């Protein structure tokens, strides 16, 4: 965990500093001095609201699972998900840790997997849909060079391939059953859980069946919840990808329209989603610069990266570290309390 935090921060800051030195030099300091603090605070507020909306999705879906999770714990789940995504390679730690956290909060493993899985697929599907829409609308402006076309199309192929795999894993019962009951997976889980292979296999079969029962129940009995989840997801995506635009306008006027900026930033997010560094750090900063270097001045682009990543990455790591320490302490206290009661 410590390695992930240090590596993520070093890569993020290191790439930003290199970009700033080679593209903007001392100009970045003068740009940062002119920042409009009210707009910067508004950007921070927008990101905070996006976290609140994400937690609301967790709360809504937990009701379908017939599990009562207090809303502050849902907010905590979102923050810990962002935190673990920021410190794990490929940003892959967020969803597994959210499942673990919900499980420790009293939700069954199958219900927790359903809640997090549906949220992930809804967010990813909606984001990809918006990316294809904006590529059709602004493709010629967003893909102006051979380098940018290779990066965007290469990143899209990788992301869509991974998306299809996760979609099948979350929604296809046969594939999920084969993976989690395979000899390799059962062996790995038996080592992690310190249980016999027969026990692990039996539990895996039961969990997969229960998980897909919950998926079917969600679709058959809670279509309003599914629709509301999609609407809230759209709001969350809008806020998250508007934050860098507000940050950029707090530094200077822009030469591009908001829809074009939104299309560029959401495309960039998808392209770098599976960069193999903690929180995709380094890749995000480099891709942002390459995407916007012809749309804004180099100094504004560099300063935007610095402030935007501080609000949505470095600050998340700081808050998440404190929150995780608190969560681990609470879980240990709960376990010790149970052991005391049993004796």
């Amino acid at each position: 965990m410590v390695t992930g935090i240090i590596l993520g921060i070093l890569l993020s800051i290191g790439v930003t500093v290199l970009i700033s030195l080679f593209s903007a030099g001392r100009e970045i300091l003068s740009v940062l001095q002119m920042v409009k603090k009210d707009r910067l605070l508004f950007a921070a507020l927008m990101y905070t609201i996006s976290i609140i909306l994400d937690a609301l999705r967790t709360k809504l879906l937990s009701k379908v699972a017939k599990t009562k999770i207090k809303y502050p714990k849902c907010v905590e789940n979102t923050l810990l998900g962002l935190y673990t995504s920021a410190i794990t390679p490929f940003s892959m730690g967020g969803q597994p840790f959210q499942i673990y956290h919900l499980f420790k909060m009293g939700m069954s493993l199958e219900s927790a997997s359903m809640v997090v899985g549906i949220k992930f697929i809804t967010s990813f599907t909606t984001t990809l849909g918006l990316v294809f829409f904006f590529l059709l609308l602004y493709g010629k402006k967003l893909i102006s060079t051979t380098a940018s076309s290779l990066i965007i199309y290469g990143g899209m192929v990788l992301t869509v391939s991974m998306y299809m795999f996760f979609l099948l894993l979350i929604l296809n019962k046969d594939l999920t059953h084969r993976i989690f009951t395979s000899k390799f997976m059962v062996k790995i889980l038996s080592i992690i859980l310190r249980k016999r292979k027969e026990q692990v296999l039996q539990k895996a079969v039961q969990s997969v069946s229960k998980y897909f029962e919950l998926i079917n129940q969600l679709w058959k009995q809670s279509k309003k919840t599914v629709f509301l989840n999609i609407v809230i997801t759209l709001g969350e995506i809008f806020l998250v990808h508007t934050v860098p635009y507000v940050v950029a306008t707090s530094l200077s006027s822009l030469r591009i329209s908001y829809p074009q900026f939104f299309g560029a930033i959401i495309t960039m997010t998808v392209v770098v989603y599976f960069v193999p560094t903690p929180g995709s750090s380094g890749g995000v900063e480099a891709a942002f610069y390459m995407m916007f270097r012809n749309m804004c001045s180099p100094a504004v682009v560099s300063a935007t990266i610095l402030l935007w990543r501080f609000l949505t990455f470095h600050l998340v790591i700081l808050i998440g570290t404190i929150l995780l320490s608190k969560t681990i302490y609470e879980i240990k206290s709960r376990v010790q309390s149970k052991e005391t009661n049993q004796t």
Side-chain angles (χ1 to χ4, degrees), residues 189-196 199:
L189 289 173
S190 65
I191 293 170
I192 294 171
L193 300 174
R194 296 179 182 178
K195 291 184 178 180
R196 291 187 293 111
Q199 290 177 304

Side-chain angles (χ1 to χ4, degrees), residues 51 66 95 118 143 263 284:
I51 291 170
K66 296 178 181 178
Q95 286 78 28
I118 292 298
I143 309 172
V284 171

Side-chain angles (χ1 to χ4, degrees), residues 213-278:
E213 282 178 20
L214 289 167
I215 292 287
N216 292 330
Q217 180 182 326
L218 173 66
W219 179 244
K220 290 178 181 178
Q221 300 178 14
S222 308
K223 288 186 176 65
K224 288 182 180 179
T225 301
V226 173
F227 176 74
L228 191 56
N229 175 48
I230 294 170
V231 172
I232 296 171
T233 301
L234 279 168
E236 183 184 343
I237 290 170
F238 161 75
L239 288 169
V240 168
H241 294 90
T242 301
V243 168
Y245 175 81
V246 176
V247 171
T249 56
S250 75
L251 296 165
S252 174
S253 57
L254 301 180
R255 298 194 296 266
I256 59 172
S257 64
Y258 168 72
Q260 188 178 339
F261 188 103
F262 186 91
I265 193 69
I266 199 170
T267 300
M268 185 216 78
T269 302
V270 168
V271 167
V272 301
Y273 195 91
F274 291 107
V275 170
T277 57

Side-chain angles (χ1 to χ4, degrees), residues 147-161 270-272:
S148 62
S149 65
L150 287 172
I151 291 169
I152 289 174
Y153 288 129
M156 286 292 291
V157 168
L158 174 62
T159 301
V160 170
S161 300
V270 168
V271 167
V272 301

Side-chain angles (χ1 to χ4, degrees), residues 54 57-58 60-62 64-65 95 98-99 102 110-126 163 166-167 169-171 211-212 214-219 222 225-230 233 236:
D54 189 80
R57 294 167 65 202
T58 303
L60 284 170
L61 291 169
S62 67
V64 176
Q95 286 78 28
Q98 284 182 310
I99 293 171
L102 290 174
E110 298 84 6
S111 297
S113 300
M114 183 273 290
V115 169
V116 175
I118 292 298
K119 282 179 63 184
F120 176 77
I121 287 300
T122 306
S123 297
F124 221 150
T125 303
T126 306
Y163 164 74
F166 285 122
L167 184 66
L169 183 64
I170 291 170
L171 300 179
Y211 167 78
F212 280 98
L214 289 167
I215 292 287
N216 292 330
Q217 180 182 326
L218 173 66
W219 179 244
S222 308
T225 301
V226 173
F227 176 74
L228 191 56
N229 175 48
I230 294 170
T233 301
E236 183 184 343

Side-chain angles (χ1 to χ4, degrees), residues 321-334:
T321 301
I322 298 168
L323 190 59
L324 182 62
S325 301
K326 172 180 170 290
T327 303
I328 291 172
Y329 175 77
E330 287 178 351
I331 291 171
K332 283 184 176 180
S333 298
R334 199 176 297 121

